[in-house]
Amino acid sequence: MNRQSKIKSKKPLGLFMVTMIMFGITTTLHGLSPLATYGLGSIFFLLVASIGFLLPAGLVSAELATCFQREGGVYIWVSEAFGTDWGFLATWLQWLQNLFFWTVILTGSASMLALGLGWEAGIDDKAYIAAVVVSVIWFCTGLTYCGLGFTGAIGTLGSLAGTIFPALLLIVLALAYLAGGQPSMINMQWGNLVPNLSQPSNLSFGISTILIFAGVELMGTRVSSMRDPKKVYPAATMIAIALTVFLLVPVVLAIAVLVPAEEINLSAGLLQAVKIVTDEHAALNWLPVVFAFALMLDSIGEITGWMAGTPISMAAAGRDGYLPKSMSTRRHDIAPGMLLTQAILGTLVSVTFLVAPGVQSVFWILSALVVQLYVLMYILVFAAAWHLRRTQPNRYRPFRVPGGWLGITFVCLLGLGLSILVFAAGFIRPTGLHEIGEGRYLITIIVGISISLAAPLLLIVYQRLCKKHQPA
């Protein structure tokens, strides 16, 4: 075995593991409950998000990651196009939305665990929800300290046992329910395939589709840990996208078949659907508990995947002076300072449950905020991909978005257009969210985005001042 082969063999991420981690990160069942309220129209939103966002994001990420085979992901990509200040802003948005995302996904897991154990009051118990969120955040942080090989195994287990298994189980339950002669809760008229788009408030739950697909770019932070990334990264991206689309469409329809739209709980709709079937069969009373624990495993796998990725981008930015040295230190394949910092901040986010008007409102406000910060980051990524193809046309790109100049332009414009539309829709309160008024909802979203953008801008100014006063 030659030296190059030995180096390659030491890299922990092959095609299967990269695909499973990427699938686990980009595919979550938790965001399907709000989408299921549209019934047959949920297919419309899933297809629009898949074609207009997931596919462009996957193609662009594959080109950028294989072109710039250095750890750092979006920080490297955007910095190459527009400078390190913009790169830091992009990776900050990616990292910060992730902190909010933990609370969103774990709120759903905690609610479904309570429902699976027969404690329906636990769905709206803020102290219980906050305790579960905080405990799992620190548990996942401990798992991430074990290194990339271990978190990769957890991510693979989460994909198989926490996403694919419960998804297939729910589909089978829905089919058995219909085969037994029970009525479907979906209006099957073909006209319902396209929801009523004339009312802006009816679009709000549709933006949750983007949240389901968040993270397709994240493995770009780990491209240097992959075996033959020019082949592995694009192949894993396309396989993960295909698995995501073909799995989620029947799952969201299964929820809509089993639960009336007006009764779907935004954070626990998956368990509601399971219990509708199992409550009719005493022999299946154990199934909701298994289902709930499987979804918690899905959350753990997804969160550890995010935890293993975003700190690396932030640490790369920190080494360029945007963060304290303690947050920029790299030890083997983790950034311990960033791991600890984000665990503390994630804990503080979860405490909002103790002061917010209700679990449902917090779940949706954080979901909307996550999506808006995420698409702001992707606006920068799409712009960077187009700009780099124009300014560095001769740079070696192992994988290119197909279609030459017209292809990259079309893909980036498609992704940019949907990202801007989704960002605008996030300011509109959904019609089914009654726990918080329209004015308070709008103010909360504006304040959340303003604070999220002000923090990195202040750090950028501070970094410039430090450079200015450094001795020549």
Side-chain angles (χ1 to χ4, degrees), residues 291-308:
F291 194 89
F293 276 104
L295 290 174
M296 181 61 78
L297 181 60
D298 170 39
S299 299
I300 291 172
E302 185 160 7
I303 289 172
T304 53
W306 278 100
M307 283 185 175

mmCIF file of all heavy atoms in Angstrom, residues 291-308:
data_model
loop_
_atom_site.group_PDB
_atom_site.id
_atom_site.type_symbol
_atom_site.label_atom_id
_atom_site.label_comp_id
_atom_site.label_asym_id
_atom_site.label_seq_id
_atom_site.Cartn_x
_atom_site.Cartn_y
_atom_site.Cartn_z
ATOM 1 N N PHE A 291 -42.157 4.171 19.034
ATOM 2 C CA PHE A 291 -42.115 5.207 18.004
ATOM 3 C C PHE A 291 -41.518 6.497 18.563
ATOM 4 O O PHE A 291 -40.671 7.138 17.924
ATOM 5 C CB PHE A 291 -43.541 5.461 17.498
ATOM 6 C CG PHE A 291 -43.609 6.246 16.213
ATOM 7 C CD1 PHE A 291 -43.579 5.604 14.987
ATOM 8 C CD2 PHE A 291 -43.711 7.624 16.232
ATOM 9 C CE1 PHE A 291 -43.653 6.315 13.799
ATOM 10 C CE2 PHE A 291 -43.781 8.354 15.059
ATOM 11 C CZ PHE A 291 -43.750 7.693 13.832
ATOM 12 N N ALA A 292 -41.945 6.873 19.762
ATOM 13 C CA ALA A 292 -41.451 8.106 20.386
ATOM 14 C C ALA A 292 -39.953 8.021 20.668
ATOM 15 O O ALA A 292 -39.210 8.980 20.427
ATOM 16 C CB ALA A 292 -42.217 8.386 21.680
ATOM 17 N N PHE A 293 -39.487 6.881 21.152
ATOM 18 C CA PHE A 293 -38.049 6.735 21.424
ATOM 19 C C PHE A 293 -37.246 6.709 20.120
ATOM 20 O O PHE A 293 -36.116 7.192 20.076
ATOM 21 C CB PHE A 293 -37.784 5.473 22.256
ATOM 22 C CG PHE A 293 -37.962 5.686 23.724
ATOM 23 C CD1 PHE A 293 -39.087 5.220 24.390
ATOM 24 C CD2 PHE A 293 -37.004 6.374 24.462
ATOM 25 C CE1 PHE A 293 -39.260 5.424 25.754
ATOM 26 C CE2 PHE A 293 -37.162 6.586 25.829
ATOM 27 C CZ PHE A 293 -38.288 6.121 26.471
ATOM 28 N N ALA A 294 -37.825 6.144 19.068
ATOM 29 C CA ALA A 294 -37.147 6.149 17.767
ATOM 30 C C ALA A 294 -36.971 7.577 17.271
ATOM 31 O O ALA A 294 -35.915 7.946 16.745
ATOM 32 C CB ALA A 294 -37.937 5.321 16.756
ATOM 33 N N LEU A 295 -37.990 8.407 17.437
ATOM 34 C CA LEU A 295 -37.900 9.801 17.005
ATOM 35 C C LEU A 295 -36.905 10.586 17.866
ATOM 36 O O LEU A 295 -36.247 11.509 17.376
ATOM 37 C CB LEU A 295 -39.281 10.456 17.060
ATOM 38 C CG LEU A 295 -40.273 9.944 16.011
ATOM 39 C CD1 LEU A 295 -41.655 10.542 16.256
ATOM 40 C CD2 LEU A 295 -39.796 10.271 14.602
ATOM 41 N N MET A 296 -36.794 10.225 19.148
ATOM 42 C CA MET A 296 -35.770 10.856 19.978
ATOM 43 C C MET A 296 -34.382 10.466 19.488
ATOM 44 O O MET A 296 -33.456 11.297 19.458
ATOM 45 C CB MET A 296 -35.949 10.445 21.438
ATOM 46 C CG MET A 296 -34.923 11.074 22.383
ATOM 47 S SD MET A 296 -34.987 12.891 22.434
ATOM 48 C CE MET A 296 -36.432 13.124 23.496
ATOM 49 N N LEU A 297 -34.219 9.218 19.065
ATOM 50 C CA LEU A 297 -32.946 8.783 18.491
ATOM 51 C C LEU A 297 -32.651 9.550 17.207
ATOM 52 O O LEU A 297 -31.498 9.921 16.943
ATOM 53 C CB LEU A 297 -32.988 7.280 18.220
ATOM 54 C CG LEU A 297 -31.716 6.646 17.638
ATOM 55 C CD1 LEU A 297 -30.539 6.832 18.583
ATOM 56 C CD2 LEU A 297 -31.948 5.163 17.358
ATOM 57 N N ASP A 298 -33.684 9.798 16.404
ATOM 58 C CA ASP A 298 -33.533 10.612 15.199
ATOM 59 C C ASP A 298 -33.017 12.001 15.557
ATOM 60 O O ASP A 298 -32.089 12.519 14.917
ATOM 61 C CB ASP A 298 -34.890 10.716 14.486
ATOM 62 C CG ASP A 298 -34.885 11.744 13.365
ATOM 63 O OD1 ASP A 298 -33.885 11.844 12.636
ATOM 64 O OD2 ASP A 298 -35.897 12.447 13.216
ATOM 65 N N SER A 299 -33.586 12.601 16.597
ATOM 66 C CA SER A 299 -33.151 13.931 17.030
ATOM 67 C C SER A 299 -31.699 13.918 17.482
ATOM 68 O O SER A 299 -30.920 14.816 17.146
ATOM 69 C CB SER A 299 -34.043 14.430 18.173
ATOM 70 O OG SER A 299 -35.386 14.547 17.763
ATOM 71 N N ILE A 300 -31.321 12.898 18.254
ATOM 72 C CA ILE A 300 -29.944 12.811 18.753
ATOM 73 C C ILE A 300 -28.967 12.663 17.594
ATOM 74 O O ILE A 300 -27.925 13.327 17.549
ATOM 75 C CB ILE A 300 -29.817 11.640 19.741
ATOM 76 C CG1 ILE A 300 -30.588 11.958 21.035
ATOM 77 C CG2 ILE A 300 -28.349 11.346 20.061
ATOM 78 C CD1 ILE A 300 -30.698 10.794 21.997
ATOM 79 N N GLY A 301 -29.306 11.806 16.627
ATOM 80 C CA GLY A 301 -28.437 11.632 15.473
ATOM 81 C C GLY A 301 -28.300 12.899 14.660
ATOM 82 O O GLY A 301 -27.198 13.259 14.219
ATOM 83 N N GLU A 302 -29.410 13.605 14.485
ATOM 84 C CA GLU A 302 -29.363 14.836 13.693
ATOM 85 C C GLU A 302 -28.581 15.935 14.411
ATOM 86 O O GLU A 302 -27.772 16.644 13.812
ATOM 87 C CB GLU A 302 -30.784 15.306 13.394
ATOM 88 C CG GLU A 302 -30.842 16.511 12.481
ATOM 89 C CD GLU A 302 -32.189 16.689 11.809
ATOM 90 O OE1 GLU A 302 -33.135 15.943 12.151
ATOM 91 O OE2 GLU A 302 -32.300 17.575 10.959
ATOM 92 N N ILE A 303 -28.811 16.076 15.702
ATOM 93 C CA ILE A 303 -28.139 17.134 16.464
ATOM 94 C C ILE A 303 -26.638 16.881 16.553
ATOM 95 O O ILE A 303 -25.832 17.808 16.406
ATOM 96 C CB ILE A 303 -28.765 17.264 17.866
ATOM 97 C CG1 ILE A 303 -30.173 17.865 17.743
ATOM 98 C CG2 ILE A 303 -27.905 18.138 18.773
ATOM 99 C CD1 ILE A 303 -30.954 17.867 19.031
ATOM 100 N N THR A 304 -26.238 15.631 16.776
ATOM 101 C CA THR A 304 -24.798 15.350 16.838
ATOM 102 C C THR A 304 -24.139 15.613 15.486
ATOM 103 O O THR A 304 -22.979 16.047 15.425
ATOM 104 C CB THR A 304 -24.526 13.901 17.274
ATOM 105 O OG1 THR A 304 -25.266 12.993 16.437
ATOM 106 C CG2 THR A 304 -24.918 13.684 18.716
ATOM 107 N N GLY A 305 -24.886 15.380 14.390
ATOM 108 C CA GLY A 305 -24.357 15.705 13.069
ATOM 109 C C GLY A 305 -24.109 17.191 12.903
ATOM 110 O O GLY A 305 -23.063 17.623 12.403
ATOM 111 N N TRP A 306 -25.075 17.998 13.351
ATOM 112 C CA TRP A 306 -24.907 19.451 13.301
ATOM 113 C C TRP A 306 -23.772 19.892 14.228
ATOM 114 O O TRP A 306 -22.956 20.749 13.876
ATOM 115 C CB TRP A 306 -26.205 20.145 13.712
ATOM 116 C CG TRP A 306 -27.232 20.253 12.616
ATOM 117 C CD1 TRP A 306 -28.313 19.444 12.435
ATOM 118 C CD2 TRP A 306 -27.276 21.223 11.585
ATOM 119 N NE1 TRP A 306 -29.029 19.860 11.342
ATOM 120 C CE2 TRP A 306 -28.412 20.955 10.800
ATOM 121 C CE3 TRP A 306 -26.462 22.306 11.232
ATOM 122 C CZ2 TRP A 306 -28.767 21.722 9.690
ATOM 123 C CZ3 TRP A 306 -26.812 23.070 10.132
ATOM 124 C CH2 TRP A 306 -27.951 22.774 9.367
ATOM 125 N N MET A 307 -23.745 19.316 15.432
ATOM 126 C CA MET A 307 -22.712 19.708 16.391
ATOM 127 C C MET A 307 -21.312 19.402 15.888
ATOM 128 O O MET A 307 -20.361 20.113 16.196
ATOM 129 C CB MET A 307 -22.940 18.993 17.733
ATOM 130 C CG MET A 307 -24.038 19.573 18.578
ATOM 131 S SD MET A 307 -24.112 18.746 20.188
ATOM 132 C CE MET A 307 -25.367 19.736 21.010
ATOM 133 N N ALA A 308 -21.185 18.325 15.118
ATOM 134 C CA ALA A 308 -19.874 17.956 14.597
ATOM 135 C C ALA A 308 -19.437 18.839 13.442
ATOM 136 O O ALA A 308 -18.250 18.910 13.127
ATOM 137 C CB ALA A 308 -19.884 16.492 14.146
#
